[in-house]
Amino acid sequence: MPGVRRQISSDVKHIVVEMSQQADVPLTQAQIRSLTGVAESTQCQINALYRCMGEVAVCPIECGRRRVMHALDFLEGLVERRPDITLLEMQQALGEVCDVDVSISTICRTLKQVGFTHKQVCTELTDLAYE
């Protein structure tokens, strides 16, 4: 059915490459389609990728979007050295030392993901918000 997309496993892709590159008698694309159910256009894409990259599938280097908070060790070190440090002070330290500009809510979520359950919010923060 044209227009219907499905994920093809790498095992099936390897089989398509092997069938199309058999030394003695390579199969036609129509024969490969009847045996594997992979469309001719997809077979061409798989074979082209295999010839170019030597792989049947391209794996992404990193999944998801690029993370802003990559200074996790730095944050943990700050909390270990000064357990009473506020989120505003952590934000300022990240900006000065790591050159990372993140919101306080990002710092709070990151600390929660690591396992810290409580962090102080200083009154200076509320004062800064209303100035």
Side-chain angles (χ1 to χ4, degrees), residues 18-29:
E18 288 175 17
M19 288 179 165
S20 62
Q21 295 182 351
Q22 287 178 353
D24 46 339
V25 181
L27 299 174
T28 64
Q29 289 182 344

Side-chain angles (χ1 to χ4, degrees), residues 90-113:
M90 293 175 94
Q91 182 185 35
Q92 292 169 347
L94 278 169
E96 294 169 3
V97 178
C98 299
D99 196 31
V100 175
D101 184 31
V102 294
S103 67
I104 290 180
S105 60
T106 301
I107 296 171
C108 187
R109 277 193 311 269
T110 303
L111 290 174
K112 194 176 285 188
Q113 288 173 355

